[in-house]
């Protein structure tokens, strides 16, 4: 385990307890976020990535709640505090949200108020964590907009979010998240709604800000291309659980889980023939309320073993420090030989 870890999530379970039953949106996820590094969390829509982020900040809407696990945040003095034990609306969690951990949403239009100016919202965030008067806070807000590359920052402070382009809104959202100088920035699909050019600019901005501030980043995305460009460590999630994790080199050059390999095969290749059909993963992610028995991925897995994968949950194999694979096909050499024999 890394000694510079800033956040440790252990066996996190976030369930939505409704009259019709229990939806296990996050069902036993564990990972570390290290200071100054970028952790990429990847998976298809519906795999629990965003609920994991909301759980860390304790802002999951009812009827969702954390039913088990730990979220250990390392304070500046080196001591850990379990965010699960804190009241979601208490003073400590309010200081963590924005102060220790910033959040960038996929669509800033849903984050910014349409009836308050960008300046009003930025200065409010600044004054929540710093003892500044309105003029000083406004000056700092202009500096933040300059830092994230927004032209004419003073004029932008007097504009509303709906008056800005998508790229400028996302830059303003990043400025808002960075206002209290957080040690960890959680970015939830921060570039999905943007064009390719603007997406590249936003990613470059986040990486440069990370280097300047020695900030950790937890980047949530379904785009493996983004992960390849930005991440140091990767967690692959499927249906509320991590199925594989390791360094970005492990995941891209030595993927072990069938789901990880299937995701990588679906990336368009530069040398692909024109109009060539991309390999697709069979079926779709089931609703967490209807989780399959055994390995959750087995109904879509081309390598599933009947009588095993559909019945028993796989073990977690740890072949090296920071490397995990949750699959029946990994770690059991006799089984692997048997499977290869069936294929031949």
């Amino acid at each position: 385990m890394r000694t510079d870890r800033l956040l440790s999530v252990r066996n996190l379970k976030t369930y939505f307890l409704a009259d019709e039953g229990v939806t296990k949106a996050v069902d036993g996820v564990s990972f570390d976020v290290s200071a100054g590094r970028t952790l990429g969390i990847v998976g298809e829509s519906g795999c629990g990535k965003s609920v994991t982020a909301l759980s860390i900040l304790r802002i999951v809407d009812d009827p969702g709640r954390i039913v088990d696990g730990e979220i250990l945040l390392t304070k500046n003095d080196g001591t850990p505090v379990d965010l699960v034990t804190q009241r979601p609306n208490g003073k400590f969690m309010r200081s963590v949200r924005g102060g220790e951990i910033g959040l960038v949403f996929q669509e800033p239009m849903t984050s910014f108020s349409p009836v308050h100016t960008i300046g009003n919202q930025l200065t409010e965030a600044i004054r929540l964590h710093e003892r500044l008067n309105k003029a000083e806070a406004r000056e700092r807000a202009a500096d933040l907009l300059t830092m994230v590359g927004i032209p004419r920052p003073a004029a932008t402070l007097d504009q509303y979010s709906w008056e800005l382009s998508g790229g400028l809104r996302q830059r303003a959202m990043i400025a808002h998240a960075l206002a209290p100088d957080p040690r960890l920035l959680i970015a939830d699909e921060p570039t999905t709604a943007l064009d390719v050019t603007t997406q590249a600019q936003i990613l470059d901005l986040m990486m440069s800000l990370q280097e300047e501030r020695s900030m950790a980043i937890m980047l949530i995305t379904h785009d493996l291309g983004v992960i390849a460009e930005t991440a140091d460590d990767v967690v692959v999630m499927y249906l509320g659980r991590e199925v594989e994790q390791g360094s970005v080199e492990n995941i891209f050059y030595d993927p072990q889980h069938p789901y990880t390999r299937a995701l990588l095969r679906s990336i368009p290749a530069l040398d692909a023939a024109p109009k060539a059909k991309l390999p697709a993963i069979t079926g779709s992610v089931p609703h967490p309320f209807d989780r399959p028995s055994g390995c959750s991925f087995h109904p879509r897995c081309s390598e599933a073993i009947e009588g095993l994968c559909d019945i028993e949950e796989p073990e977690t194999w740890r072949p090296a420090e920071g490397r995990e694979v949750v699959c029946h096909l990994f770690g059991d050499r006799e089984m692997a030989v048997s499977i290869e024999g069936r294929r031949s």
Side-chain angles (χ1 to χ4, degrees):
M1 184 179 295
R2 297 183 64 90
T3 57
D4 58 348
R5 65 185 183 277
L6 174 62
L7 186 79
S8 291
V9 176
R10 292 289 175 266
N11 194 38
L12 177 64
K13 296 183 179 181
T14 302
Y15 294 173
F16 287 81
L17 311 174
D19 292 338
E20 60 271 21
V22 178
T23 298
K24 299 178 180 180
V26 179
D27 195 26
V29 169
S30 299
F31 57 82
D32 293 330
V33 184
S34 298
R37 292 174 69 86
T38 297
L39 173 72
I41 299 186
V42 68
E44 296 167 281
S45 297
C47 286
K49 306 184 302 296
S50 294
V51 177
T52 299
L54 297 177
S55 299
I56 291 170
L57 290 168
R58 303 299 311 280
I59 52 175
V60 178
D61 290 332
D62 286 333
R65 68 185 61 176
I66 297 173
V67 300
D68 196 10
E70 296 177 323
I71 302 171
L72 302 174
L73 176 67
T74 303
K75 296 194 295 185
N76 284 320
D77 62 5
T79 60
V81 57
D82 186 2
L83 303 185
V84 174
T85 65
Q86 304 297 315
R87 291 192 301 114
N89 295 320
K91 182 178 179 181
F92 181 80
M93 280 309 305
R94 291 200 303 270
S95 70
V96 168
R97 287 192 288 266
E100 297 284 336
I101 304 175
L103 178 61
V104 176
F105 291 100
Q106 175 178 346
E107 180 43 71
M109 278 293 281
T110 62
S111 305
F112 282 122
S113 167
V115 297
H116 296 90
T117 65
I118 295 294
N120 283 339
Q121 294 173 79
L122 268 177
T123 55
E124 180 183 16
I126 291 168
R127 296 186 72 195
L128 279 174
H129 299 276
E130 296 185 46
R131 292 185 177 180
L132 301 176
N133 61 38
K134 289 184 179 180
E136 292 169 334
R138 183 178 172 86
E139 183 178 351
R140 173 150 166 69
D143 290 341
L144 284 167
L145 293 184
T146 300
M147 181 182 66
V148 298
I150 291 182
R152 301 174 58 247
T156 301
L157 289 175
D158 295 322
Q159 290 183 292
Y160 296 90
S161 60
W162 43 267
E163 295 182 284
L164 304 180
S165 67
L168 289 180
R169 277 199 303 270
Q170 195 62 289
R171 288 175 184 268
M173 183 76 249
I174 293 173
H176 188 276
L178 295 178
D181 197 18
R183 293 187 294 149
L184 168 63
L185 181 68
I186 299 177
D188 188 359
E189 299 277 10
T191 60
T192 299
L194 305 176
D195 62 77
V196 175
T197 301
T198 307
Q199 173 178 297
Q201 292 172 349
I202 294 297
L203 291 174
D204 287 344
L205 169 64
M206 290 174 57
M207 294 302 105
S208 63
L209 290 172
Q210 178 185 41
E211 186 174 353
E212 291 172 12
R213 294 178 166 226
S214 299
M215 179 177 59
I217 293 179
M218 185 172 131
L219 178 61
I220 296 171
T221 182
H222 65 275
D223 190 334
L224 279 167
V226 170
I227 292 293
E229 292 178 21
T230 59
D232 300 300
D233 309 295
V234 183
V235 173
V236 182
M237 283 187 68
Y238 185 78
L239 206 57
R241 299 172 178 171
E242 84 268 16
V243 295
E244 184 167 1
Q245 60 177 289
S247 69
V248 68
E249 291 82 8
N250 289 151
I251 297 301
F252 279 85
Y253 295 108
D254 187 29
Q256 297 293 332
H257 198 281
Y259 181 58
T260 308
R261 294 199 294 265
L263 287 174
L264 289 168
R265 285 195 299 269
S266 66
I267 300 176
L270 292 175
D271 58 354
K275 298 183 180 180
K277 188 176 180 179
L278 281 175
I281 306 175
T282 303
S284 58
V285 181
H287 193 280
F289 187 71
D290 298 315
R291 184 184 301 278
S293 60
C295 172
S296 298
F297 186 60
H298 87 263
R300 307 176 66 194
C301 181
S302 61
E303 302 177 68
I305 305 168
E306 187 177 352
L308 177 63
C309 296
D310 54 340
I311 296 175
E312 297 182 18
E313 292 189 8
E315 296 181 38
T316 299
W317 300 90
R318 296 180 176 85
E321 181 74 18
R323 187 85 162 103
E324 292 186 1
V325 185
V326 185
C327 182
H328 286 298
L329 304 181
F330 188 82
D332 190 327
R333 297 186 180 278
E334 291 184 4
M335 183 180 293
V337 170
S338 173
I339 293 167
E340 289 299 325
R342 295 183 205 174
R343 292 175 183 162
S344 59

